[in-house]
């Protein structure tokens, strides 16, 4: 019998950190959380820098293996710990390629090129570091809306999830971007609204988002393993 996985996930509180918390919940895995947050100094400590020289969250440790980048963590977890009824990656070769296409589209076009640009250049967010640029943030929001037309078209046939009837990690990535856009006051496309409502009812979503909440002042940063999603 294989040994139980020894999983530790670093990072809480952002649209990127929720992705692996949610995937762990969908896969029904027990893990320990190190509830450190971005821009708190906690990603810059020597202990953390040794583990993750990129000094970013999220980061997953699986025994002595570690991996960063939220979309890669989720894909690793799915590939390694998926089980019947809990596959987060399509098996068929062409469906797999389409899944990859969605994942890259979401992390590049929707996240990095649009929403993260808004975050970097908004006065209330990271503008004090990267420069406040209202025109850039307006255009990035418009670009997000324009790119979302691909999601609108995909969901037009009434499918339950982005890839059809199978829930995949692309749904995790997309949902986090849709919620992020709503929080920034960028409207989402019509078909994405009922899609989002469906997804938010998933127990995995609810457990994952609960696990992503930052600790209240005085609460411990280490949350023991034991979270599991039946
Ligand atoms: N593309 C990366 C982005 C990770 C990232 O930028 N994380 C931010 C928080 S959302 C961070 O840790 N920044 C360093 C810090 O704030 O200390 C991913 O998806 O994991």
């Amino acid at each position: 019998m294989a040994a139980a996985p020894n999983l530790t996930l670093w990072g809480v509180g952002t649209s990127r950190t929720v992705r692996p918390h949610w995937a762990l919940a969908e896969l029904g895995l027990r893990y320990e959380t190190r509830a450190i947050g971005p821009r708190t100094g906690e990603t810059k400590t020597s202990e953390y820098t040794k583990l993750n020289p990129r000094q970013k969250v999220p980061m997953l440790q699986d025994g002595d293996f570690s991996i960063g980048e939220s979309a890669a963590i989720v894909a690793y977890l799915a590939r390694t710990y998926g089980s019947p009824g809990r596959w987060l990656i399509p098996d068929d070769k062409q469906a797999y390629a389409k899944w990859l296409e969605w994942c890259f589209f979401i992390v590049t076009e929707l996240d990095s090129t649009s929403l993260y640009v808004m975050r970097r250049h908004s006065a209330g967010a990271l503008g004090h570091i990267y420069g406040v640029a209202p025109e850039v943030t307006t255009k990035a929001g418009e670009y997000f809306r324009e790119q979302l037309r691909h999601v609108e078209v995909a969901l037009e046939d009434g499918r339950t999830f982005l890839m059809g009837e199978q829930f995949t990690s692309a749904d995790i990535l997309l949902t986090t971007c849709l919620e992020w856009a709503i929080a920034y006051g960028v409207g989402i496309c019509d078909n994405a609204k009922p899609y989002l409502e469906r997804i938010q009812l998933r127990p995995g979503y609810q457990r994952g988002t609960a696990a992503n909440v930052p600790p209240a002042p005085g609460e411990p940063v280490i949350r023991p393993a034991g979270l599991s999603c039946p």
Side-chain angles (χ1 to χ4, degrees):
M1 194 198 226
N6 176 13
L7 299 165
T8 302
L9 179 63
W10 294 72
V12 290
T14 81
S15 303
R16 274 80 171 261
T17 55
V18 71
R19 296 167 180 168
H21 284 290
W22 181 1
L24 284 155
E26 291 284 347
L27 294 166
L29 294 166
R30 293 174 187 278
Y31 65 103
E32 180 175 283
T33 299
R34 300 293 172 109
I36 65 170
R39 298 179 208 284
T40 55
E42 292 162 311
T43 59
K44 306 274 189 287
T45 64
S46 56
E47 183 202 4
Y48 189 71
T49 304
K50 251 188 246 151
L51 292 170
N52 184 5
R54 296 173 197 215
Q55 300 183 313
K56 299 241 182 194
V57 285
M59 197 270 290
L60 177 81
Q61 289 176 281
D62 181 357
D64 56 11
F65 173 73
S66 58
I67 180 156
E69 284 297 329
S70 55
I73 298 172
V74 169
Y76 168 76
L77 286 168
R79 181 84 197 272
T80 312
Y81 297 110
S83 57
R86 300 177 196 254
W87 303 116
L88 302 182
I89 302 181
D91 192 34
D92 169 82
K93 280 201 171 53
Q94 290 189 350
Y96 173 81
K98 282 291 176 192
W99 166 81
L100 265 186
E101 183 184 47
W102 275 121
C103 291
F104 284 125
F105 168 76
I106 296 163
V107 296
T108 58
E109 302 296 344
L110 301 184
D111 178 325
S112 314
T113 310
S114 308
L115 297 168
Y116 191 54
V117 168
M118 294 181 76
R119 177 161 164 73
R120 275 171 93 96
H121 296 292
S122 294
L126 304 179
H128 61 290
I129 303 171
Y130 298 109
V132 174
E135 195 186 348
V136 170
T137 57
T138 303
K139 293 282 176 203
E142 287 169 10
Y143 185 76
F144 178 88
R145 281 293 309 226
E146 196 206 276
Q147 292 301 308
L148 216 50
R149 76 183 189 282
H150 302 298
V151 171
E152 182 72 356
V153 170
L155 296 175
E156 233 156 47
D157 60 7
R159 61 182 63 186
T160 310
F161 304 116
L162 203 46
M163 295 286 306
E165 294 315 302
Q166 183 187 1
F167 177 82
T168 71
S169 70
D171 293 298
I172 294 182
L173 303 180
L174 178 61
T175 299
T176 58
C177 287
L178 294 173
E179 290 184 332
W180 190 354
I182 292 168
Y184 276 9
V186 180
I188 62 170
C189 55
D190 291 345
N191 293 336
K193 292 173 190 161
Y195 164 86
L196 192 54
E197 281 169 19
R198 275 196 299 282
I199 299 265
Q200 287 168 336
L201 291 174
R202 292 181 73 78
Y205 166 89
Q206 290 168 7
R207 287 173 201 233
T209 48
N212 190 48
V213 173
E219 261 180 23
V221 162
I222 300 180
R223 293 178 185 158
L227 252 192
S228 119
C229 192

